[in-house]
Amino acid sequence: MQHYFLLNINISLVTNNKINYGDVAIGEGLLTLIGIGLWVLGTDVWRGQSRARKIGGAFLLLVAAGYSVAWAGINYWGYNYLKEYF
């Protein structure tokens, strides 16, 4: 899904065997903001008084944790991919 998303907003990590640092920064910034938003939303819902809000908040926090693990994995893969061009 990330690759498809990056193609839709026309972000290219490498062009002509050179790293596009601006596009890498834009993509990383967007993905980081999505993760931060999930954590903030999850903690806000978790702090609710009703049982339904607690369950919903816990679910959102699990999604945020999964997203964070995936984000770290994608960054690790991206670093190893771009390392060839340094």
Side-chain angles (χ1 to χ4, degrees), residues 1 4-6 10 13 17 20 28-29 31-32 38 41 46-50 54-55 57 67 69 75-76 84 86:
M1 181 176 150
Y4 180 73
F5 175 72
L6 292 176
N10 199 21
L13 300 179
N17 291 331
N20 293 332
E28 187 65 32
L31 293 174
T32 303
L38 281 171
L41 185 62
W46 172 263
R47 290 180 184 159
Q49 296 298 321
S50 70
K54 295 271 187 199
I55 293 171
Y67 183 88
V69 168
N75 281 319
Y76 179 74
E84 299 172 7
F86 287 122

Side-chain angles (χ1 to χ4, degrees), residues 4 15 17 19 24 28-29 36 38 45 47 51 74 81 85:
Y4 180 73
T15 304
N17 291 331
I19 299 172
V24 170
E28 187 65 32
I36 291 170
L38 281 171
V45 174
R47 290 180 184 159
R51 185 170 189 249
I74 288 170
Y81 174 73
Y85 296 98

